[in-house]
Amino acid sequence: MNLTDKQRALIERIGVFMEKSGMQPAAGRIMGLLYVSDKPELTFDEIREVLGISKSATSNALSMLQHLNRLEYITYSGDRKRYFRLKLDKWRDLVMQGVESITDFSETLHEVVAERTSETKEYNQNLLEVADFLKYLHQELPKLLTAWEQQKK
Amino acid sequence: MNLTDKQRALIERIGVFMEKSGMQPAAGRIMGLLYVSDKPELTFDEIREVLGISKSATSNALSMLQHLNRLEYITYSGDRKRYFRLKLDKWRDLVMQGVESITDFSETLHEVVAERTSETKEYNQNLLEVADFLKYLHQELPKLLTAWEQQKK
DNA sequence: CTTTTAGTTCCTAATTTTGAGAACCAAAAT
DNA sequence: ATTTTGGTTCTCAAAATTAGGAACTAAAAG
């Protein structure tokens, strides 16, 4: 498989974007490749080869991405290779996962306020405000998702 | 200034949370400290001392946090020290900043689809779906924010 | 003008992250 | 039973991140 310059550039751009949100470089490139590749299902060796990375880097990145729920593989009977692909159709779950994590932070904020002096009234108020909005988001985002599904039709 | 064990634990927890979203350790701890500290405005040296980090680490982390718009400092006339504090009241801007960044990604996705083969119809459809939802989010989140402001009253 | 204060920058060391290469392993093919 | 395939794991080195300490700077104080 060979890629155009434009494709390579897109892969890098997506890779860097992923890195910024805490993903390791190789994993980001794999994500990018799977977004861009004309074949959306690639084997271990195709990935390794086209990105020019080692087996270990490939293996580690792939298993991390699977744990993060971004990737899965399928197999075809009579073929031992795994075909890796993005779990694109599950992006709704990922959105919800993200919301959960900020909701965790909201709970931490409540703990913080519980531990704070009551002297700093305005400050505490601000903290609770943030926490409350995060909780609101948690509650409203699913609705937003269904509203979007509706208007899409 | 001395902190309780609970406070220290909260600082670490917040620190780790921040690290996960790509922040450097010292910066995460400083954020944590400012959330937790009874005094919400701390000087350079107070921060350095209570966290037990060097001047350079403190200086670098503080300036990074200021660039990320998480922090600011104020001064008092007749006092040369800077008093650093969280830009807590500006959290709405931060939310919007986050939305902007996912909107950037949405545009990248459009470029990706433009570059893709038209063979993989369903795949391309999925990509556009994600891109479209991100754009929808960009449009709706401000409204959600004002709706929240309303119901708060 | 000299000293002190508050913070920054430079240089370097320690730690962490990342990934290559080889050895390894299990399942399938021969 | 042996070999091949597809992938994992281990060890180690390279590269990047992080932070300590000393030197430095600008402004204020004396």
Side-chain angles (χ1 to χ4, degrees), chain B residues 11-104:
Chain B
I11 291 172
E12 288 307 310
R13 209 158 103 203
I14 294 169
V16 169
F17 183 85
M18 298 292 169
E19 278 186 66
K20 279 191 201 157
S21 39
M23 197 170 275
Q24 50 183 106
R29 302 306 179 280
I30 292 179
M31 294 285 297
L33 172 59
L34 289 172
Y35 272 113
V36 161
S37 159
D38 282 346
K39 265 195 292 179
E41 289 168 2
L42 298 178
T43 67
F44 189 97
D45 264 320
E46 284 173 325
I47 293 170
R48 202 186 54 67
E49 228 168 75
V50 68
L51 292 181
I53 58 185
S54 69
K55 287 178 85 176
S56 58
T58 308
S59 175
N60 287 327
L62 283 176
S63 75
M64 136 147 307
L65 286 170
Q66 287 173 85
H67 281 109
L68 287 178
N69 253 307
R70 315 296 304 256
L71 224 67
E72 65 188 347
Y73 65 81
I74 52 164
T75 51
Y76 296 99
S77 58
D79 184 350
R80 286 165 68 186
K81 294 193 193 70
R82 294 172 190 174
Y83 290 80
F84 294 92
R85 63 178 182 199
L86 295 177
K87 288 177 81 169
L88 258 194
D89 51 329
K90 298 286 180 358
W91 61 267
R92 288 163 187 81
D93 298 349
L94 275 190
V95 171
M96 293 320 294
Q97 220 171 279
V99 179
E100 286 309 326
S101 124
I102 60 173
T103 304
D104 286 353

Side-chain angles (χ1 to χ4, degrees), chain A residues 44 48 53-62:
Chain A
F44 188 98
R48 203 185 53 68
I53 57 183
S54 70
K55 288 177 86 176
S56 58
T58 308
S59 175
N60 286 327
L62 283 176

Side-chain angles (χ1 to χ4, degrees), chain A residues 86-105:
Chain A
L86 295 176
K87 287 177 81 170
L88 259 194
D89 50 328
K90 298 287 180 357
W91 62 267
R92 289 162 186 81
D93 298 349
L94 274 190
V95 171
M96 293 319 295
Q97 221 171 277
V99 179
E100 287 309 325
S101 123
I102 58 174
T103 303
D104 286 353
F105 187 66

